[in-house]
Amino acid sequence: MEQTNRGRLADATWDAITEMDEQNRPIHTFQVCHVMEPNQNNWLRSGWIQRQAAQRVYVELRFTLRDCNSIPWVSGTCKETFNLFYLQTEEPLSAVAFQSRIMKVDTIAADESFTQTDLGDRVLRLNTEVREVGPVTRRGFYLAFQDVGACIALVSVKVFYKRCPSTVRNLAVFPDTVPHTDSSSLVEVRGACVENAEERDTPKLYCGADGDWLVPLGRCVCSIGHAEMDGDCRACKPGSFKAYSGNTECSKCPSHSSSHDQAATICHCDKGFYRAIKDSSTVACTRPPSAPRNLVSLINDTALFLQWTPPIDTGGREDITYNVLCQRCDGRDGDSGVTQCEPCEPDLRFIPRPLSLTATSVAILDFATHVNYTFHVEAANGVSGLGVSPRSLANVTVNTNQAGPALVGVVRKDWASQNSIALSWPEAEKLPSEIVDYEVKYFEKEQEQLSYSSTRTKNPSVVVTGLRPSTVYVFHVRVRTAAGYTAYSPNYEFATAAEGNEHEGRRLCLCSHWLCSRKEKALIFCVEIKKLVLCQGYIKARMKSEEKRRTRFRAGHGLYFMFFTYVDPDTYEDPTQAVEEFAKEIDPSYICIERVIGAGEFGEVCSGRLHIPGRMDIAVAIKTLKGGYVEQQRRDFLREASIMGQFDNPNIIRLEGVVTRSRPVMIVVEYMENGALDSFLRARDGQFTVLQLVGMMRGIAVGMTYLSDMGYIHRDLAARNILVDENLVCKVSDFGMSRVLEDDTEAAYTATGGKIPIRWTAPEAIAYGKFSSVSDVWSYGIVMWEVMSYGERPYWEMSNQDVILSIDEGYRLPAPMGCPVTLHQLMLHCWQKESNQRPRFNTVLSFLDKLIINPKVTIDTCRHPPDDMPDYPLFISIGDWLDSIKMSQYKNNFLAAGYTTLDSISTMSLDDIRRIGICLIGHQRRILSSIQSLRLQLHHIQQSGFQV
Ligand code: ACK
């Protein structure tokens, strides 16, 4: 700001003179020029100048000064300078007071002085000098000019202070600001956003000592509906909008939207157009799509397909989806004749789902037959349902059949066990097309319908396995025909038997009549033809898997060119892979479970039939994995299948396949009509010839020779693990637990922590866990003994500990009653203490073969043990002997009858035993069997020259 003050003469020696400048404009000046007289002291003083906000004051002087040399005759009194003074006061002062406290600012000299010539030429040599005055702190001040003998004309005096002027930077207004007196410090000033702008980062400027704005920081941006123009925020014009604050322009309204007012922040959708909730307010407005086109239905077997093409008008959106709505329109209203429609059954299955489909097709399953379904396919997008626009529907009506609905009749429970329930129902009749099968859906009642299982059966009966004991299940059944499903039967609730309650109302299921019905035979034939293709596919896959297996063996063992080698499933990182490789997956609908035949470690064992399309149906045994299993149990259970699946021998139980992809998990093996060998023999005591028994042993030897050639060690060879078919063929089974023996009730824990069936196991395997094919040979000898004694328990009731001790002391089982010596000798050979002294399975097999070829010679005449047969000690007294066979209670009977030495009893017959008062048949047999063995040993000892 410029401040000038016209001063007044203090000493009347400065004259106020008005002159004309070069352009003839008047200029007012104060002049003094007493150059001829010495001791000049002429003062000119300003009026009182208010300081206002100033801290530092500047004085700009414009003046002319005469060159002393250009004035003729002047003495040394002529000067070419004058002095500038100032005085600060709170109030205006009198002239006297002024004189005393005045302070000098500077002596001012002229840069340019003028001469007489200049005057004549009218050239004005004007000087401008600026001086800083202060710091000023009082309310006002005076300026004073002292002339000490110069010739001066003071043209102007400008008094001012510096300030940073009000400004607008980055849409923020900064006010006038006075800098600090200290020229090195800046004044920080916060700006205020201009109208319709908002702060982003606090706007700041710094005011420098020279009145310049420095270091701009922060900024303001225009608010919504406004955009920057010429440093201002101006409102957006109608037809445009700005939705977000920022330094962006106003945008034109997007398609199908408009704004009618200034400063619009949004453009509103035109009538009939919408934005979805998720849409940004800046995008174009859209509308619901038109209806899908070309809706067609296809009915194929048991599935109904709907297909359509997308609508012509997608409404301007890409999020188009389809909803399929279903109605059953069965009858007509009697009065109005209008078709009655109702929502479809809730369990109609839509694949992938009924609503929010992104593809233009859907498959519908489980529909009822004989029904008129109307399907409405609705096209929808993100703005469907926002306005009042009608739904975009395409409709199609599908008739699933001609006749009335066919329902399954009353479902009955035939029997229930702990883990199974057998159901049957009357065969569905009056169906328009062939029955494909029945579907039985079931779930635990307590679980509501949270998870349900289903099984299919071709017959009007089923055994549902894998259930929990003492649990109520809800069942319902429906028929599947080529044209679709019937409706479900009502719900039926049946419970499984309580734990410990073996069977409840057990009876055969009606599976057998499936094969009797001519109609059904025809159906099976049709299904077979249809699925032959599938079957061929399977065979190819199986061949591929076999080839893979061979390659593996070739690579792994290099022995393949001679034998297959057993692959331990435990060597697979993922045991499921072993199951996949060695066991084929069976479609559960090919399995018809008929009855429960026993209980295993993992669940029930059932019998039933397997009907693989393209193959004769066969009787099978089905081992099930009971519900509620954990993953490890599932693996252990399936481990048996991955072992069994590697074997192919007439005397090894054959694996048909597994069911792992649905519940219950099952292992399906060939059915052995006579069940386990031990119970089979016990039930037919004495009913077979020796040759028949030898035939059974031979079968087992064939199986074991195969297994040992494969490098497989069974570890649990026992009559209970041999199965017998209707032709008395014996097959080795039970491979699942051959490593850990958890499921063998005979297996006991040993000192080394393993679980071992002591009575069947070789001493080195018990003592050091040294299992081998020759330890299997020991077990084989025990099985021979079991066979010849018709299922007698080896070592009878002796404790496991006593068995181990007596074996260690050299005792061996005596020949069973009626057992040819040769066979007992073979047993003894298998029980050699030194494992390498025992025969190998192939030797056992050829021995039995000879026996079978020439039974008379071998069985009757070969009474002498082979040369390498070791000695087995006899028990010293009758008491010891009876103790060893756990028949101590009969000591008195023997003594009372006069039998005191072993020799005396060696000739006893069965009648003799009965006569001395031993009535129980089992005891009679055990004693007689032991006596026969004693007889052999006596004979052997006598031959050696010893006396008993
Ligand atoms: O002595 P079993 O009737 O014969 O009782 C048991 C029961 O299941 C539990 O294991 C019988 N079993 C096991 N596998 C078969 C099979 N493949 N064929 C016939 N019965 C079998 C076994």
Side-chain angles (χ1 to χ4, degrees):
M1 178 179 143
E2 187 177 316
Q3 174 85 26
T4 54
N5 242 329
R6 187 103 10 219
R8 75 188 160 76
L9 283 174
D11 298 309
T13 47
W14 287 73
D15 301 317
I17 295 169
T18 300
E19 291 182 292
M20 304 307 273
D21 68 7
E22 297 95 320
Q23 280 92 39
N24 268 338
R25 283 174 307 189
I27 47 173
H28 305 286
T29 64
F30 287 98
Q31 297 183 7
V32 63
C33 193
H34 302 293
V35 290
M36 299 295 186
E37 297 149 41
N39 302 324
Q40 291 297 305
N41 185 19
N42 308 313
W43 287 86
L44 178 69
R45 173 168 65 87
S46 71
W48 191 67
I49 307 165
Q50 285 193 30
R51 176 173 67 86
Q52 299 179 1
Q55 293 187 5
R56 304 172 78 83
V57 172
Y58 299 87
V59 179
E60 184 197 88
L61 306 172
R62 291 202 299 158
F63 59 95
T64 59
L65 200 110
R66 179 86 184 254
D67 181 359
C68 285
N69 296 330
S70 70
I71 308 171
W73 310 296
V74 292
S75 62
T77 55
C78 179
K79 299 282 185 306
E80 290 184 355
T81 59
F82 64 95
N83 297 321
L84 174 65
F85 290 83
Y86 83 106
L87 170 70
Q88 292 193 67
T89 63
E90 293 298 336
E91 301 293 335
L93 294 176
S94 68
V96 181
F98 176 83
Q99 290 280 347
S100 57
R101 302 198 319 254
I102 199 155
M103 294 182 60
K104 184 169 176 182
V105 178
D106 204 359
T107 297
I108 314 286
D111 293 331
E112 305 259 8
S113 52
F114 65 91
T115 61
Q116 192 60 43
T117 324
D118 295 331
L119 278 174
D121 296 347
R122 292 188 57 78
V123 173
L124 205 61
R125 291 189 182 273
L126 200 59
N127 294 284
T128 303
E129 293 290 329
V130 178
R131 293 293 180 274
E132 194 180 318
V133 174
V136 286
T137 50
R138 305 229 169 135
R139 281 187 55 232
F141 59 92
Y142 295 94
L143 292 176
F145 308 90
Q146 182 191 28
D147 167 53
V148 289
C151 191
I152 317 163
L154 194 58
V155 177
S156 74
V157 176
K158 192 158 89 183
V159 180
F160 63 93
Y161 61 88
K162 290 185 180 170
R163 53 195 294 166
C164 296
S166 163
T167 187
V168 176
R169 295 268 179 97
N170 290 336
L171 295 177
V173 182
F174 295 87
D176 268 350
T177 305
V178 180
H180 282 311
T181 341
D182 172 9
S183 60
S184 62
S185 78
L186 304 175
V187 181
E188 181 188 298
V189 182
R190 249 185 102 140
C193 292
V194 299
E195 210 178 339
N196 298 313
E198 54 200 61
E199 266 185 24
R200 269 296 142 84
D201 297 311
T202 310
K204 277 185 206 164
L205 277 178
Y206 291 87
C207 178
D210 286 337
D212 300 322
W213 289 109
L214 306 168
V215 204
L217 295 175
R219 66 195 177 115
C220 297
V221 292
C222 290
S223 305
I224 52 174
H226 294 79
E228 187 186 356
M229 197 185 281
D230 303 331
D232 250 347
C233 290
R234 308 264 173 88
C236 299
K237 296 203 170 76
S240 68
F241 77 108
K242 198 180 126 189
Y244 307 105
S245 57
N247 287 339
T248 50
E249 300 289 299
C250 297
S251 313
K252 234 181 110 207
C253 283
S255 316
H256 307 295
S257 69
S258 50
S259 66
H260 302 290
D261 297 324
Q262 296 230 358
T265 57
I266 188 172
C267 296
H268 294 285
C269 291
D270 299 342
K271 198 159 176 244
F273 289 85
Y274 313 91
R275 286 196 187 96
I277 293 165
K278 283 185 189 160
D279 287 351
S280 143
S281 60
T282 59
V283 300
C285 295
T286 51
R287 63 180 167 192
S290 56
R293 292 170 300 152
N294 310 322
L295 174 61
V296 288
S297 69
L298 288 167
I299 217 167
N300 162 10
D301 242 7
T302 55
L304 201 161
F305 300 93
L306 299 181
Q307 279 178 345
W308 57 93
T309 49
I312 289 185
D313 178 9
T314 62
R317 303 184 64 90
E318 297 199 334
D319 57 352
I320 193 153
T321 56
Y322 305 95
N323 301 320
V324 180
L325 317 162
C326 175
Q327 284 186 313
R328 281 177 73 141
C329 303
D330 290 335
R332 282 177 185 280
D333 185 274
D335 300 333
S336 63
V338 173
T339 310
Q340 298 278 294
C341 291
E342 58 185 35
C344 293
E345 314 81 291
D347 49 2
L348 215 62
R349 275 196 294 150
F350 290 79
I351 310 286
R353 60 189 168 274
L355 302 179
S356 303
L357 294 165
T358 46
T360 53
S361 63
V362 69
I364 299 145
L365 304 178
D366 301 355
F367 51 85
T369 52
H370 337 290
V371 171
N372 275 338
Y373 286 104
T374 298
F375 293 99
H376 309 275
V377 180
E378 178 189 33
N381 63 17
V383 296
S384 294
L386 289 183
V388 285
S389 36
R391 300 176 81 171
S392 314
L393 297 173
N395 307 323
V396 68
T397 297
V398 183
N399 184 289
T400 56
N401 225 310
Q402 322 80 31
L407 294 173
V408 172
V410 176
V411 177
R412 285 178 33 209
K413 178 173 90 172
D414 293 329
W415 51 263
S417 68
Q418 289 175 26
N419 304 115
S420 309
I421 293 178
L423 305 172
S424 62
W425 53 89
E427 195 170 344
E429 286 177 351
K430 289 188 204 152
L431 288 167
S433 49
E434 296 275 16
I435 298 172
V436 176
D437 56 18
Y438 295 89
E439 186 195 43
V440 181
K441 194 165 146 185
Y442 59 97
F443 53 89
E444 273 183 41
K445 191 182 176 194
E446 296 245 309
Q447 303 263 309
E448 290 293 305
Q449 281 215 34
L450 283 181
S451 72
Y452 68 84
S453 307
S454 68
T455 180
R456 291 179 189 284
T457 167
K458 292 188 187 308
N459 320 293
S461 64
V462 71
V463 178
V464 181
T465 57
L467 307 177
R468 293 175 194 273
S470 315
T471 308
V472 177
Y473 285 85
V474 178
F475 297 87
H476 51 180
V477 182
R478 61 180 174 169
V479 186
R480 183 165 63 141
T481 72
Y485 283 94
T486 64
Y488 272 114
S489 70
N491 287 352
Y492 292 91
E493 294 181 12
F494 301 118
T496 45
E499 246 156 339
N501 234 5
E502 205 18 52
H503 291 286
E504 196 186 276
R506 172 170 166 166
R507 68 164 220 194
L508 282 181
C509 85
L510 304 174
C511 212
S512 48
H513 90 189
W514 156 39
L515 293 170
C516 303
S517 143
R518 281 175 65 199
K519 194 174 94 183
E520 286 174 351
K521 270 186 180 167
L523 171 68
I524 292 160
F525 177 69
C526 293
V527 174
E528 274 175 8
I529 297 292
K530 251 174 125 183
K531 295 196 173 158
L532 196 60
V533 181
L534 257 179
C535 188
Q536 283 167 346
Y538 167 71
I539 291 165
K540 275 186 197 155
R542 181 73 191 160
M543 282 167 70
K544 221 171 133 191
S545 153
E546 186 63 9
E547 179 52 32
K548 207 170 138 198
R549 196 166 98 93
R550 289 171 189 213
T551 317
R552 188 186 157 98
F553 296 157
R554 253 178 244 135
H557 303 270
L559 280 174
Y560 165 71
F561 53 91
M562 291 183 69
F563 306 110
F564 280 133
T565 315
Y566 159 74
V567 182
D568 185 350
D570 295 340
T571 58
Y572 279 74
E573 236 170 69
D574 175 9
T576 330
Q577 212 186 323
V579 181
E580 274 171 19
E581 189 159 338
F582 299 121
K584 82 181 173 210
E585 183 74 26
I586 298 180
D587 182 332
S589 68
Y590 299 161
I591 302 166
C592 169
I593 296 177
E594 291 171 338
R595 63 195 174 95
V596 177
I597 54 173
E601 150 90 354
F602 293 101
E604 288 170 337
V605 182
C606 305
S607 65
R609 303 201 70 84
L610 173 67
H611 178 85
I612 292 187
R615 273 171 50 175
M616 285 288 290
D617 76 286
I618 54 164
V620 285
I622 303 130
K623 293 186 171 192
T624 58
L625 178 58
K626 60 184 166 223
Y629 57 82
V630 296
E631 183 55 26
Q632 189 55 45
Q633 285 172 315
R634 183 179 187 272
R635 287 181 177 182
D636 288 346
F637 175 70
L638 290 172
R639 189 173 180 277
E640 177 172 26
S642 50
I643 295 171
M644 228 189 296
Q646 299 185 45
F647 304 141
D648 182 13
N649 182 274
N651 294 96
I652 305 284
I653 201 81
R654 189 181 66 249
L655 174 74
E656 294 297 340
V658 289
V659 176
T660 61
R661 293 182 196 143
S662 61
R663 286 188 196 180
V665 175
M666 302 186 235
I667 296 177
V668 182
V669 298
E670 65 180 308
Y671 183 65
M672 301 292 281
E673 289 75 2
N674 284 313
L677 178 60
D678 61 339
S679 49
F680 170 70
L681 289 172
R682 278 197 283 272
R684 290 171 181 75
D685 195 357
Q687 292 180 12
F688 298 113
T689 64
V690 169
L691 211 55
Q692 280 176 308
L693 297 175
V694 173
M696 294 180 201
M697 290 188 265
R698 183 190 181 274
I700 301 166
V702 170
M704 289 310 296
T705 305
Y706 174 84
L707 291 182
S708 64
D709 285 348
M710 287 276 281
Y712 179 80
I713 303 161
H714 193 291
R715 297 173 187 230
D716 197 12
L717 181 57
R720 64 183 169 280
N721 291 331
I722 304 293
L723 291 166
V724 188
D725 77 2
E726 57 189 337
N727 301 315
L728 296 191
V729 174
C730 288
K731 304 195 181 189
V732 181
S733 84
D734 234 68
F735 301 97
M737 284 290 128
S738 54
R739 196 171 47 87
V740 280
L741 296 168
E742 281 300 331
D743 75 333
D744 190 337
T745 47
E746 287 294 346
Y749 287 101
T750 62
T752 48
K755 214 177 172 203
I756 286 173
I758 302 291
R759 282 152 217 271
W760 283 264
T761 307
E764 75 278 4
I766 296 174
Y768 336 108
K770 190 167 176 256
F771 285 91
S772 61
S773 282
V774 280
S775 66
D776 276 353
V777 167
W778 178 291
S779 311
Y780 179 81
I782 303 288
V783 174
M784 284 179 73
W785 191 90
E786 287 183 281
V787 172
M788 295 311 295
S789 62
Y790 283 92
E792 181 59 277
R793 179 167 168 73
Y795 312 95
W796 307 280
E797 304 311 319
M798 284 168 73
S799 70
N800 278 343
Q801 203 48 44
D802 286 349
V803 170
I804 293 170
L805 285 176
S806 63
I807 294 294
D808 196 40
E809 284 170 15
Y811 173 69
R812 296 294 183 273
L813 279 168
M817 186 170 73
C819 169
V821 175
T822 343
L823 287 175
H824 187 235
Q825 284 168 352
L826 180 57
M827 293 176 207
L828 292 171
H829 201 25
C830 295
W831 299 330
Q832 302 255 29
K833 190 178 177 100
E834 292 301 323
S835 60
N836 57 6
Q837 307 268 298
R838 292 173 208 152
R840 302 294 181 268
F841 276 113
N842 54 354
T843 315
V844 171
L845 183 58
S846 49
F847 183 86
L848 293 175
D849 279 342
K850 278 186 208 141
L851 207 64
I852 292 166
I853 293 164
N854 198 353
K856 263 222 142 330
V857 176
T858 331
I859 297 175
D860 295 344
T861 59
C862 185
R863 291 216 165 260
H864 302 292
D867 291 343
D868 59 350
M869 187 70 80
D871 288 340
Y872 296 100
L874 292 170
F875 296 90
I876 307 303
S877 68
I878 294 284
D880 284 349
W881 166 66
L882 287 169
D883 286 347
S884 77
I885 58 169
K886 298 277 171 194
M887 293 283 117
S888 318
Q889 69 270 36
Y890 297 123
K891 279 179 191 170
N892 286 340
N893 302 46
F894 279 87
L895 294 176
Y899 293 100
T900 50
T901 64
L902 289 180
D903 199 26
S904 62
I905 60 158
S906 66
T907 51
M908 280 180 91
S909 66
L910 189 60
D911 280 347
D912 295 333
I913 293 167
R914 284 197 196 114
R915 216 173 299 123
I916 65 169
I918 299 170
C919 304
L920 294 173
I921 294 168
H923 292 179
Q924 291 170 0
R925 194 166 342 115
R926 186 181 302 178
I927 291 166
L928 188 61
S929 149
S930 183
I931 288 172
Q932 285 173 337
S933 171
L934 276 171
R935 207 181 289 150
L936 176 72
Q937 292 186 45
L938 277 170
H939 174 80
H940 182 52
I941 290 165
Q942 281 159 5
Q943 292 281 310
S944 330
F946 286 93
Q947 288 296 318
V948 179

